[in-house]
Amino acid sequence: ASRGLLVKDRQALEIAQDADVIILDKTGTLTTGEFKVLDVKLLNDKYTKEEIIALLAGIEGGSSHPIAQSIISFAEQQDIRPASFDSIDVISGSGVEGKAGGHRYQLISQKAYGRNLDMDIPKGATLSVLVENDDAIGAVALGDELKPTSKELIKALKKNNIQPIMATGDNEKAAQGVAEVLGIEYRSNQSPQDKYELVKTLKDEGKKVIMVGDGVNDAPSLALADVGIAIGAGTQV
Ligand code: ADP
Ligand code: MG
């Protein structure tokens, strides 16, 4: 308890000793989840950069994702007031959507956007696309860092013959960058349902599976795994 660990199910500790595989979420689990805005891009000439930043900060007001706070702070630092939204809803595993001034906006992952973007993305960055009605009007590139303990963790797991796999909703390039540094197998562009299916497949193969995650998008797989370890914001779900 003094280290901030709460065990809700005593048997989970016993099962954990026999674990074969551990699935780790990336953002907020292996990385700090403390994002920095690296770049804001305009994708048409309808809006100025300030207006795009105001829309980004406004729509993130409805999200508790680690990306949200970093975008809101970024706008604050430049004295840009967030745009006001009439309604905002979270789309688990891919972003947020909301209504403002008669338009429908979405701030979503590259995968959820689903079309190619003609732009340079900084290496290892996470990219979220701002969509108005059906048009991409802007994009924000963000980066976070590995937790200082992640490398040590992966080493310890391997030494104990527990196979680590990283499963992330993030894009292929960002996932690959982190996986390479850690020397870990990975799956990118994973929806909450994909993470769930991954746990299910491994369990069906007769493996004992631990899932570690920090977000709403990890809730289904945390619940299905033999042992679910929720950290940070994940403890609320
Ligand atoms: P992970 O599985 O690594 O924790 P998430 O499933 O939480 O990642 O997010 C996947 C991707 O969806 C992010 O990399 C980001 O591009 C996008 N995304 C999710 N939530 C938000 C948000 N609130 N604002 C902007 N982009 C978001
Ligand atoms: Mg996460």
Side-chain angles (χ1 to χ4, degrees), residues 25-27 60 63 65 67 93-95 107 109 126-128 168-170 195 217:
D25 166 57
K26 177 178 78 72
T27 316
E60 290 291 23
S63 167
H65 197 277
I67 288 178
S94 62
L107 182 61
S109 65
T126 293
L127 191 83
S128 298
T168 177
D170 210 342
K195 291 187 181 186
N217 60 329

Side-chain angles (χ1 to χ4, degrees), residues 64 90 92-93 192 213-222 233-234 237:
S64 60
V90 170
S92 179
D214 78 314
V216 188
N217 60 329
D218 302 313
S221 44
L222 282 169
V237 297

Side-chain angles (χ1 to χ4, degrees), residues 158-180:
K158 286 183 176 167
K159 208 168 127 199
N160 286 283
N161 286 320
I162 303 174
Q163 181 195 5
I165 304 175
M166 181 179 88
T168 177
D170 210 342
N171 69 63
E172 170 66 19
K173 270 197 186 152
Q176 195 188 15
V178 170
E180 248 174 47

Side-chain angles (χ1 to χ4, degrees), residues 3-105:
R3 287 174 155 231
L5 182 70
L6 173 69
V7 180
K8 290 193 79 176
D9 177 356
R10 170 183 56 81
Q11 284 188 340
L13 278 179
E14 291 168 21
I15 299 169
Q17 298 182 95
D18 301 322
D20 299 299
V21 184
I22 182 164
I23 301 173
L24 299 137
D25 166 57
K26 177 178 78 72
T27 316
T29 299
L30 290 171
T31 67
T32 60
E34 286 159 23
F35 284 92
K36 281 208 179 75
V37 173
L38 304 174
D39 201 5
V40 174
K41 292 255 197 248
L42 304 182
L43 295 176
N44 69 16
D45 45 22
K46 206 169 133 193
Y47 293 102
T48 64
K49 198 156 185 170
E50 283 68 30
E51 286 167 333
I52 292 291
I53 295 171
L55 284 168
L56 291 172
I59 200 167
E60 290 291 23
S63 167
S64 60
H65 197 277
I67 288 178
Q69 195 46 54
S70 56
I71 290 181
I72 292 168
S73 313
F74 178 75
E76 258 170 28
Q77 281 157 23
Q78 300 176 63
D79 288 325
I80 298 175
R81 279 247 311 272
S84 64
F85 273 76
D86 304 322
S87 66
I88 304 173
D89 293 296
V90 170
I91 325 168
S92 179
S94 62
V96 267
E97 63 185 350
K99 291 203 180 88
H103 294 296
R104 194 172 66 94
Y105 293 95

Side-chain angles (χ1 to χ4, degrees), residues 202-221:
L202 291 163
K203 278 183 76 171
D204 289 348
E205 287 170 7
K207 292 183 173 141
K208 284 260 178 298
V209 182
I210 303 180
M211 169 74 201
V212 191
D214 78 314
V216 188
N217 60 329
D218 302 313
S221 44

